[in-house]
Amino acid sequence: MSRRAFGGLVGGGAVTAVADTATAAEAASAAERPFSARAGAAAGRRPDILVILGDDLGWADLSSYGAPHIRTPHLDRPARQGVRFTDAYSGSATCSPTRFSLYTGRYPGRTPGGPAEPIANRTQGLDPNHPTLASLLKKAGYATTLIGKWHCGPLPDHSPTTSGWDEFFGNHGGALEYFSKLGQFGEYDLYEGDATYKDLRYYTEILTERAAEYVGRRHDRPWLLNLNFTTPHWPWLAEGDEETGAEIEARIRAAKSQAEVFAALTHHDGGSVEKYTEMVESLDAAVGEQGRRPVGGEVGFVADLVAVDSGGEFGGARSATCSGGCGPTGRSGAATGSTTRTPTGRTTSTTWPPTPANRPISPRTSRSCWPS
C-alpha cells in the first residue's frame, strides 16, 4: 500500500487549498451544527479504530480551528465529515501524563506514574497490569498496534507490548532527533517490538510508511491503531533539515550528562513560527496525500480521532491569545484541537462543546459507543 493510498485514511479526496484559510474556517463553521446522537442507529460491524495523536500542536493551529497561516486540509477532514470539538482539553499540559490518560481513560493523577513529567529515569512508567484501551479491545477480539511515540516508560519494564498492544514500532522516550533517532537518554530510540530498528530517514516519513503498511494488510478482525506522531515537538526539524539534525546529533553525542542531552534536544537556539508551520504542514501532507485507502482490498470502515497531547510551543497567532503552552498549565497548555469521524454515513460537520480530547476513547466509552 502506497503513502498516497494511505492518505485517504484522513485526507482522501480532492482538496483545493484557499488563499485565506481563516475565511475558509469561518465558512466551514457557519455550515456546522451542534452534535446530536442518531436515534435508533442499528448495531452492525465493529469499526476499525484509528487514533492520530499530534505532539505539542497548538489548539488553534489547524485550519479547521481558524489558523490564519497554517494549512491542514487533510487533518481537517474528520472535522468536515464528523465532529469538531469546540472546547477540548488533553489530560495534562505535558506528554507523559496525557498519554497515561489517553491509554487508560483515567485522569493521570489517579494512575501510579501518571504525574511524572518528563519520565526521566528507567523505573517510572505505566503498570503493565493496568487495563488500557488496547488491552480491553484486545479481549474483545481486536488486533492492536501502536506506531510512534510511546513515552509511558522505558524498556525493559515498560512497553506497549506489555500493556495490550500486539505490535509496536516507534520510540519509547519523550523526544528524539528526527534523523539520527537519538533520544532523551542519549541512546538510539527507534524500536520494532523490543528490538532496535535502524532507519535514518525523517521520522514522520517512516511512521507514515509503517501506518500505511499496517492499514493495508488483509485483516481478519477489527483493529485499533494508535498513530502517535512526534511532530511538531522539538527539535525544530522539517524534512530536508539533515544538516541541522547532524549538529544536534553531535551535541547529543558530546553531552556529559542527561541535562546536556535534554538541552540539545530542546533546540532553544533554533525554531521559529515559520519552521513550526512547516512541520505542521508536513505532518498534514504525510497523512493526507489524496486518494482512497483500501483496507485488505476493501474500502475501510474506520472510526477516526485526531487529538493532541498538549499545547503548542511555537503556536499560531490564535493559540497565542491564551496563556501557557506545552508545560505551563495556562489554557493553551491543555486546550487542544480534537476531531472525530465515525463510520455511520454522517457527512455533515457538527460541533460538540466541552470534553477532554482523550476521554471520548476511554475503555468505558469504547464499550458504550460501539457495538460489541
Side-chain angles (χ1 to χ4, degrees):
M1 179 183 182
S2 67
R3 290 179 63 200
R4 180 172 297 279
F6 174 62
L9 188 106
V10 171
V15 177
T16 302
V18 293
D20 186 351
T21 55
T23 302
E26 291 166 4
S29 179
E32 290 177 337
R33 58 185 177 81
F35 173 82
S36 61
R38 294 178 62 189
R45 174 184 169 188
R46 292 185 296 176
D48 304 319
I49 303 170
L50 170 67
V51 183
I52 297 177
L53 188 66
D55 201 344
D56 292 3
L57 176 64
W59 72 270
D61 294 337
L62 297 175
S63 302
S64 54
Y65 285 84
H69 61 288
I70 303 178
R71 294 173 172 81
T72 56
H74 309 300
L75 286 171
D76 294 336
R77 191 184 186 202
R80 295 195 303 273
Q81 297 183 343
V83 179
R84 182 174 68 91
F85 295 99
T86 57
D87 201 2
Y89 291 86
S90 63
S92 172
T94 48
C95 303
S96 295
T98 288
R99 282 167 172 74
F100 271 75
S101 184
L102 176 69
Y103 301 152
T104 66
R106 305 182 71 192
Y107 292 110
R110 295 179 177 174
T111 307
E117 175 57 37
I119 289 180
N121 61 53
R122 299 185 186 277
T123 62
Q124 294 173 313
L126 178 62
D127 182 354
N129 296 312
H130 194 290
T132 63
L133 176 67
S135 68
L136 294 176
L137 285 175
K138 187 174 181 177
K139 289 180 181 178
Y142 271 71
T144 57
T145 292
L146 191 151
I147 295 175
K149 177 176 170 178
W150 161 243
H151 204 192
C152 278
L155 290 170
D157 297 324
H158 308 283
S159 172
T161 56
T162 63
S163 289
W165 284 269
D166 300 316
E167 300 179 36
F168 169 61
F169 179 87
N171 61 300
H172 284 88
L176 80 174
E177 194 277 301
Y178 281 78
F179 298 97
S180 69
K181 312 302 182 296
L182 296 183
Q184 68 184 65
F185 295 110
E187 301 169 352
Y188 189 83
D189 191 16
L190 177 57
Y191 287 80
E192 183 170 35
D194 294 341
T196 56
Y197 183 92
K198 291 294 182 180
D199 194 330
L200 302 181
R201 294 176 297 155
Y202 188 63
Y203 194 33
T204 304
E205 178 184 1
I206 297 170
L207 297 182
T208 304
E209 243 178 46
R210 269 301 171 121
E213 183 278 325
Y214 180 79
V215 173
R217 296 179 194 172
R218 187 169 295 278
H219 296 270
D220 59 3
R221 51 186 170 143
W223 47 260
L224 163 72
L225 172 58
N226 288 90
L227 179 53
N228 297 354
F229 287 100
T230 55
T231 312
H233 193 290
W234 41 257
W236 311 112
L237 299 169
E239 202 163 357
D241 286 341
E242 289 91 343
E243 185 175 338
T244 304
E247 294 172 0
I248 296 172
E249 176 188 358
R251 290 171 59 188
I252 293 173
R253 293 190 184 281
K256 299 294 192 295
S257 66
Q258 189 173 335
E260 291 183 1
V261 171
F262 186 77
L265 284 171
T266 52
H267 198 194
H268 287 311
D269 55 343
S272 63
V273 171
E274 291 73 24
K275 181 58 65 177
Y276 175 85
T277 298
E278 188 178 352
M279 293 177 74
V280 175
E281 292 185 349
S282 74
L283 170 63
D284 182 75
V287 299
E289 296 174 0
Q290 62 186 37
R292 284 181 76 88
R293 175 205 26 76
V295 178
E298 301 176 358
V299 175
F301 188 70
V302 181
D304 300 327
L305 174 71
V306 178
V308 182
D309 72 341
S310 55
E313 299 193 55
F314 275 107
R318 297 191 71 234
S319 294
T321 61
C322 300
S323 63
C326 174
T329 54
R331 185 166 187 266
S332 278
T336 65
S338 181
T339 62
T340 187
R341 177 183 59 178
T342 57
T344 59
R346 180 196 298 276
T347 58
T348 304
S349 181
T350 62
T351 58
W352 197 350
T355 186
N358 44 26
R359 293 308 292 275
I361 57 166
S362 68
R364 176 177 299 174
T365 308
S366 72
R367 291 196 297 271
S368 62
C369 290
W370 294 306
S372 60

